[in-house]
Amino acid sequence: MSVIPLWASHGGAGSSGVGATTGVMLAATVVTQLNMVWLFRLLSLRQMLAVGALVLAVATPAYVLTDALAPLVAISAVRGIGFAFVVVAGVALAAELAPAGKVATAAGWYGVAAGLPNVFLMPAGVWLAQTWGFAPVFLCAAGMALLAVPLLLSLPEHGRQARRTGPRGWVDRRAFTAAGVFLVTAATLGTVATFLPVALPESPMPSIALFVLSVVMVATRLGAGALADRHGPGRLVAPSAIVCAVGAAGMAATVSDGGPALLVAAAVFGAGFGAAQNDSFVVVLRHLGPGRSGTASTIWNIAYDGGMGVGPFAVGLALTLTGYPGAFLALAVALALAAAVGYAVGGPRMGMGVRETPQL
């Protein structure tokens, strides 16, 4: 997520092209996720994870061949397809394996597993690319994706996924409100991951800031899961978006200097994002009801990946007018507005008022 934009910039791509490497990958992810209903009928969750990991492992080494923008975008689109399989199946399986009454905590632990690579590899990838070159980063990433496949043999096998899409019917608007708020927070994270290294290409601060953001994000996601299981989900969605807005505004004020204050802003944003990430998923899962973990995972991941793609793409187009501080400030305003809408539509406890999420 943070190295490919640098590789595109190395090849001479402008800001819109740099943003497109992330935007197109996640656009392909979302398009794949929109077709998950029939994919659930063909594959089990474990099979979907294996297919996704293999696609990522096969596509990633192709980055070594060129830094020209067109092939980079095409490779990113293929990776987006594999990524869609992994993220939808992964979070749905985490929900299915959760003990009764511990879905939010299980989602938090899943977030730890998903977030630890961000903690170490998102910032380390930038440093390694700057120090050792890009090719070792791409080859190592492909190798790690390939290693995931044999690990899947230890997971329980479930039946076909048609039943997990659940019956079609009315869905509480609070599920989509929570997903919408999270989409805006994800758009900001995608922008930070894509453009912070590009904004300060010779500085170690982007790597350190991404590390701090990721550490705090994992910790708060786990804490949010425990809180939601104890007091009910939905309480943190709007407040966490406000915290993200404060962090984004802080990055707007500090990105030009690249000093230690940037790390504080990154930590604040990471705290808000981790809480929003976990609480929004549990709200969507709860409001869709029993037997629809696959659908809930699809809706939430579309918000996540759609935001991660739309943010960098839109900011890439606007950077010539706004600059990096203006872009981050605009995202802070969007986050505050999303929090206000979430509070107005869902109220302070948008996860409450519906049946308990069963053991799936």
Side-chain angles (χ1 to χ4, degrees), residues 10-200:
H10 179 274
S15 59
S16 59
V18 169
T21 60
T22 301
V24 169
M25 173 187 166
L26 293 169
T29 300
V30 171
V31 170
T32 305
Q33 289 165 343
L34 290 171
N35 290 280
M36 282 294 172
V37 170
W38 68 267
L39 289 172
F40 282 139
R41 298 190 179 104
L42 296 175
L43 301 171
S44 70
L45 293 176
R46 191 170 73 167
Q47 289 168 341
M48 290 178 70
L49 282 167
V51 169
L54 285 172
V55 170
L56 289 169
V58 171
T60 303
Y63 283 124
V64 176
L65 301 177
T66 180
D67 61 2
L69 182 60
L72 291 186
V73 169
I75 297 165
S76 294
V78 174
R79 289 180 63 242
I81 296 170
F83 187 64
F85 277 73
V86 170
V87 294
V88 170
V91 73
L93 188 58
E96 291 204 354
L97 296 178
K102 294 293 183 181
V103 172
T105 299
W109 279 109
Y110 174 82
V112 171
L116 283 177
N118 289 339
V119 170
F120 297 105
L121 300 182
M122 189 184 294
V126 173
W127 180 82
L128 288 171
Q130 293 170 335
T131 305
W132 291 356
F134 289 91
V137 177
F138 301 145
L139 295 176
C140 287
M144 284 186 285
L146 192 61
L147 283 174
V149 178
L151 291 176
L152 293 169
L153 298 176
S154 67
L155 293 176
E157 184 64 272
H158 289 265
R160 302 290 178 176
Q161 296 300 303
R163 65 180 181 84
R164 293 184 180 90
T165 63
R168 294 185 179 182
W170 179 79
V171 177
D172 193 296
R173 64 182 178 178
R174 288 173 292 184
F176 291 105
T177 301
V181 173
F182 183 60
L183 184 149
V184 181
T185 66
T188 307
L189 178 64
T191 300
V192 171
T194 299
F195 286 110
L196 196 58
V198 179
L200 300 166

Side-chain angles (χ1 to χ4, degrees), residues 26 29-30 33 83-84 86-92 110 179 182 281 284 294-308:
L26 293 169
T29 300
V30 171
Q33 289 165 343
F83 187 64
V86 170
V87 294
V88 170
V91 73
Y110 174 82
F182 183 60
F281 171 68
V284 173
T295 302
S297 176
T298 301
I299 292 172
W300 183 80
N301 275 291
I302 286 173
Y304 193 174
D305 301 322
M308 289 283 285

Side-chain angles (χ1 to χ4, degrees), residues 242-278:
I242 292 293
V243 175
C244 287
V246 173
M251 284 186 276
T254 58
V255 66
S256 297
D257 296 333
L262 179 63
L263 305 183
V264 177
V268 172
F269 179 83
F273 189 86
Q277 190 177 33
N278 211 72

Side-chain angles (χ1 to χ4, degrees), residues 303-324:
Y304 193 174
D305 301 322
M308 289 283 285
V310 168
F313 183 74
V315 168
L317 294 175
L319 268 178
T320 55
L321 299 175
T322 63
Y324 293 107

Side-chain angles (χ1 to χ4, degrees), residues 15 50 62 87 163 211 215-216 265 282 286 356:
S15 59
V87 294
R163 65 180 181 84
F211 175 78
V215 168
V216 176
V282 180
R286 166 172 280 203
E356 285 292 320

